[in-house]
Amino acid sequence: MNEMSNLIKLESRKILRPVIFTTVILTAAMCVLSCTLYKNYTLQYDLEAWEVGTELFSLLYPLIAVVPLCWNLYYERKNNFLLYVLPRVPIKKYLTVKWCVYALGAFCLIAIPYMLSAVFAIYVKAPVVAFSNPFDHVFQKAFTQMPLLYGVILSCWKGILSILMMTLGFVLAMYGRNIFVILTGPFVYSILENYILSILRLEQYRLVVAFDPTSISDDAVSVMSFLVGPAILIIVILLSVFFLSKVRKNAVVNI
């Protein structure tokens, strides 16, 4: 138990600075955008300013969840650091702990900035001047009557999706040899998945809709909109592990 605790602390220290730095920068950016961009829109509720201000990050979150984290595993493989780990810790145990620490980091990188910027949009910025236009929104009752709860729950869900996206980057870092492919692969996947499902007229099942349900008409959003995209990503992750380890026969540790 003590060994596991020490291993967690060691892995946490490796990514602590980039995670804190990125989280602070993202929080500041989302708060600033949430109190400026909305002025060009006609809104009814304060949380709409949060949606407008954070819209850009629905596209960039695969990079945010991967780049500050997965570089570390890549360089540990490249520098043969894992060879020094083997005599002390089984490689599966080491990678499991590393993934858990990365997962927590990915969750914080996305969930914390979204939560804090939601609080900022609701309680800090100047109130939105409401208009009496008809209003339709996904989960409208929660959005209009319990905006903070809505913002916190959606932020946590975004954090969970970021863990899945980080996992794809983690798999690429375990087996890949090109740092550019490792860090941008999940982002490229999100672009391709978005494009292919749009071509197939399955827009409501895109991962971006699960991440940001306002990216499509509210009447097109269903429970499956939050499940299909993540399920496809999980399948892609499993297929990537099989292809890289069994077909390409790439090794995590080159002995």
Side-chain angles (χ1 to χ4, degrees), residues 98-168:
K98 185 177 283 289
W99 180 88
C100 290
V101 172
Y102 282 16
L104 179 59
F107 183 87
C108 292
L109 281 167
I110 297 298
I112 290 177
Y114 270 99
M115 282 186 197
L116 294 180
S117 57
V119 172
F120 189 91
I122 297 171
Y123 298 110
V124 178
K125 70 160 188 52
V128 167
V129 179
F131 292 85
S132 58
N133 298 331
F135 183 84
D136 291 314
H137 195 283
V138 62
F139 304 123
Q140 182 169 343
K141 185 175 181 180
F143 182 84
T144 57
Q145 299 181 17
M146 298 174 287
L148 181 59
L149 179 62
Y150 174 92
V152 169
I153 292 176
L154 186 57
S155 297
C156 289
W157 173 244
K158 292 175 188 287
I160 293 172
L161 294 180
S162 72
I163 293 175
L164 290 179
M165 197 60 76
M166 179 280 300
T167 303
L168 178 57

Side-chain angles (χ1 to χ4, degrees), residues 59 61-62 165 168 185-195 207:
L59 174 66
Y61 85 94
M165 197 60 76
L168 178 57
F187 177 72
V188 173
Y189 165 79
S190 68
I191 298 296
L192 290 176
E193 183 255 19
N194 189 17
Y195 177 75
L207 193 60

Side-chain angles (χ1 to χ4, degrees), residues 18-178:
V19 167
I20 291 178
F21 176 78
T22 306
T23 301
V24 170
I25 294 298
L26 284 174
T27 300
M30 288 185 185
C31 288
V32 170
L33 292 176
S34 294
C35 70
T36 55
L37 292 184
Y38 81 96
K39 295 178 181 179
N40 298 322
Y41 295 80
T42 300
L43 306 179
Q44 287 185 285
Y45 296 93
D46 288 311
L47 204 57
E48 288 182 278
W50 175 64
E51 293 178 337
V52 171
T54 59
E55 185 177 8
L56 171 65
F57 301 97
S58 298
L59 174 66
L60 298 179
Y61 85 94
L63 291 173
I64 298 168
V66 172
V67 173
L69 301 168
C70 294
W71 64 270
N72 173 252
L73 177 55
Y74 166 79
Y75 280 107
E76 286 190 355
R77 289 182 63 236
K78 181 179 180 180
N79 299 331
N80 292 320
F81 176 81
L82 297 183
L83 289 175
Y84 298 98
V85 172
L86 279 174
R88 293 175 292 172
V89 183
I91 192 63
K92 288 186 177 180
K93 180 179 180 180
Y94 179 77
L95 291 175
T96 298
V97 170
K98 185 177 283 289
W99 180 88
C100 290
V101 172
Y102 282 16
L104 179 59
F107 183 87
C108 292
L109 281 167
I110 297 298
I112 290 177
Y114 270 99
M115 282 186 197
L116 294 180
S117 57
V119 172
F120 189 91
I122 297 171
Y123 298 110
V124 178
K125 70 160 188 52
V128 167
V129 179
F131 292 85
S132 58
N133 298 331
F135 183 84
D136 291 314
H137 195 283
V138 62
F139 304 123
Q140 182 169 343
K141 185 175 181 180
F143 182 84
T144 57
Q145 299 181 17
M146 298 174 287
L148 181 59
L149 179 62
Y150 174 92
V152 169
I153 292 176
L154 186 57
S155 297
C156 289
W157 173 244
K158 292 175 188 287
I160 293 172
L161 294 180
S162 72
I163 293 175
L164 290 179
M165 197 60 76
M166 179 280 300
T167 303
L168 178 57
F170 190 87
V171 168
L172 295 176
M174 279 200 303
Y175 297 106
R177 298 185 179 93
N178 187 311

Side-chain angles (χ1 to χ4, degrees), residues 176-234:
R177 298 185 179 93
N178 187 311
I179 185 64
F180 180 78
V181 172
I182 291 168
L183 298 183
T184 62
F187 177 72
V188 173
Y189 165 79
S190 68
I191 298 296
L192 290 176
E193 183 255 19
N194 189 17
Y195 177 75
I196 292 171
L197 291 182
S198 296
I199 291 295
L200 296 175
R201 298 180 181 247
L202 298 172
E203 297 93 343
Q204 68 272 30
Y205 300 132
R206 295 172 299 161
L207 193 60
V208 68
V209 175
F211 190 86
D212 180 9
T214 63
S215 61
I216 195 171
S217 175
D218 62 285
D219 57 359
V221 178
S222 66
V223 173
M224 295 305 294
S225 299
F226 294 92
L227 300 178
V228 175
I232 294 174
L233 177 54
I234 291 172

